[in-house]
Amino acid sequence: MKDSQLLGDTPPEEFRRQLYALADWIADFRQSLDSLRVAPDDKPGAILAKLPAQPPEEGESFAKILGDVDRLIVPGTVHWSHPMFLGYFGWTTTAPGILGEIITAPLNVNAMTWRTSPAATELETLVIDWIRQWVHLPQEFGGVVYDTASVGVMHALAVAREEAAPSVRKRGLVGARAPVLRIYASEQAHSSAEKAAIALGLGEENVQRVPTDAAFRIDASALREIVARDVHDGFRPLAAIATVGTTSTASVDPVPEIARICREFKMWLHIDGAYGAGFAILPECQSMTAGWSDADSIVVNPHKSLFVPLDFSVLYVRDLERLRRVFTLVPEYLRGDTVEAQKNYMDYGIQLGRRFRALKAWIIFRSFGREGMATRLREHLRLANLFADWIGSDNRFELAAAVSMGVVCFRFIGADKNKLDRLNSEIVERINASGRAYLTQTKLRDRTVMRIGIGNVLTTEEHLRKAWDIIRETADDVGT
Ligand SMILES: Cc1ncc(COP(=O)(O)O)c(C=O)c1O
C-alpha cells in the first residue's frame, strides 16, 4: 500500500457507501432479531478462539469486518433487544435510541466543560430537567448524567460523607478524624451500596442491611432500631438508601417513613430509583413519589425504564451545588475553558471526559413524547399482570412476590418440594441455553425463583405467551 493511502481518513465517497451499507445492516438486524437465538450456546473462550490473537498489520476492508460481525459477533451476543429477552429488567433500546447513538458518534463531543461542549452541556441540563418534571421532583433538584446508578450512589454518598465529616475531601478520612460512618439499606437493595462504601473507604461492613416485610419492602421500624443501636454503640449514621423498584422484585420501600427516620438521625436520604423512578411518568403511579421531595439525592436510570440505550443514569441532588463543592477541581490547563461557564459538568463528579449522552435521550423523548413513553410503560404493566394471571391459572406455579412494575417473580411448585430450588434453577438454565427465551433466577427468602422483567418495546403479548409455553414445557421436562 502507498504511504499516501495510509494517511488521513476513509475517502468521503467510500465512507458514504459504508454508511449506506451500515444503515441496511442495522435495519435488517432489527427486523431479523426475532429469528435469532436470544443467547449463544458457546462455552467461555469460544469467540476469542475464532479471532486472530495478533493485531492486524495491514488495514482490512469494512465489508470484511462487517462480515465478521455477522459471522462471529452477532451469534456470540446475548440479544438484550430480542423480544424474547425477559432477563433483568428486560430493558432495551429503541429505534430513536439507535439514531441518537449514531448521531452522537460523528459529533465526537467531550462534554467536560461548557466551552468544550456548549450544546452537549445545555442539552444535558435540559434533558435532566425534563426527566425531573416527569418524575415530579421539585425544582430545587438539579442533576448530572453518569453512566450508571452505581456511579450515582457513590457520588451521592461522597457528598453525604463530606457533609457529615467536613474536610474529608481535603484531609482524607483519617486526617479529618472521621467517625465510623454507617449506611442503611434493605436486604433487597442493590449491591452498589457496598461498592460505593468500598470505593469511598467507608468499608463494606458499614453498609447495614435491614430486614424487609412480607412484600420485600424495608421494615422501617427495624431500620429505626438498627440506627438507634448504632448511635448507642458509637457509630455515626451517614445515609439511608430507599429503593423504588428493587432488583429482584421491584418492591418499593416506604420512602416517607424512611425520610422521617433520616430527619430524626440527621442522615442523608438517597433514593435508588434506578429502575422504578421512571414509572412515575404514569399519572396512575404518581403516588409512588410520596416522600421523594424529602430526599437529598435520587438516581433514575432512563436506560432501565425510559427507553434510552445503555448507558444513561441521572443523579439528582437537592441543591446541586452540594455535589459541585465536593468534586470541583480545575487544573491550570482547563482554567481557560471554564471561565465564562455557568455549568461545567466535569465539576460534578470524578470524570473529566464525558460522553454526549443527552443527545440520544433528547431524540427518544421527542420521538415518543411523554404520551408515547407512558403508553409503552402501561403496556408493560399490562403484560406483567397478564403473565401473573397465567401463573395463577396453573396450579404447578405460584407467584413468589406481588407483581410490581414490569417484574414478575414466580416459582414452579409442581414437584417434590425438596427439589424445587434445583428445578427452578434448572428451568431457567435450560431455557436460556435453548436460545428460545431468556429469564433470570433469583433467591427470595432463600428460595430459588424465576423472574421475568418486561421492558422491551418489541415484546408483544404473543411473545409472552410463547415464553409461558416454553416455561411450562420445560417445567414438564425437568419435573418428571
Ligand atoms: C435497584 C438497582 N439499583 C442500582 C442498580 C445498578 O445499576 P447500574 O447498572 O446502572 O449501576 C441496579 C441494577 O440492576 C438496580 O437494580
Side-chain angles (χ1 to χ4, degrees), residues 89 148-150 190 192 243 245-247 272 274 301 303-304:
F89 291 118
T148 56
S150 305
H190 191 261
S192 49
T243 309
T246 55
T247 311
D272 179 353
N301 269 16
H303 75 220
K304 282 191 166 65

Side-chain angles (χ1 to χ4, degrees), residues 21-36:
L22 186 63
D24 281 336
W25 186 93
I26 293 171
D28 289 345
F29 172 75
R30 284 292 278 178
Q31 250 183 320
S32 66
L33 260 173
D34 227 335
S35 63
L36 298 177

Side-chain angles (χ1 to χ4, degrees), residues 181-237:
L181 299 166
R182 286 244 148 129
I183 297 156
Y184 307 89
S186 93
E187 44 93 10
Q188 291 290 316
H190 191 261
S191 51
S192 49
E194 276 84 0
K195 283 268 186 99
I198 294 167
L200 295 171
L202 301 173
E204 66 184 297
E205 281 183 5
N206 288 313
V207 178
Q208 295 291 294
R209 293 298 189 143
V210 180
T212 54
D213 63 15
F216 302 101
R217 299 150 25 111
I218 200 168
D219 176 342
S221 55
L223 169 67
R224 203 189 165 285
E225 268 171 39
I226 293 171
V227 177
R229 193 187 59 212
D230 274 358
V231 171
H232 177 266
D233 292 346
F235 295 105
R236 173 84 178 270

Side-chain angles (χ1 to χ4, degrees), residues 262-285:
C262 285
R263 265 197 305 278
E264 182 184 345
F265 291 94
K266 298 193 173 44
M267 285 189 286
W268 181 281
L269 171 58
H270 176 73
I271 298 180
D272 179 353
Y275 171 59
F279 285 86
I281 204 170
L282 293 171
E284 60 270 36
C285 293

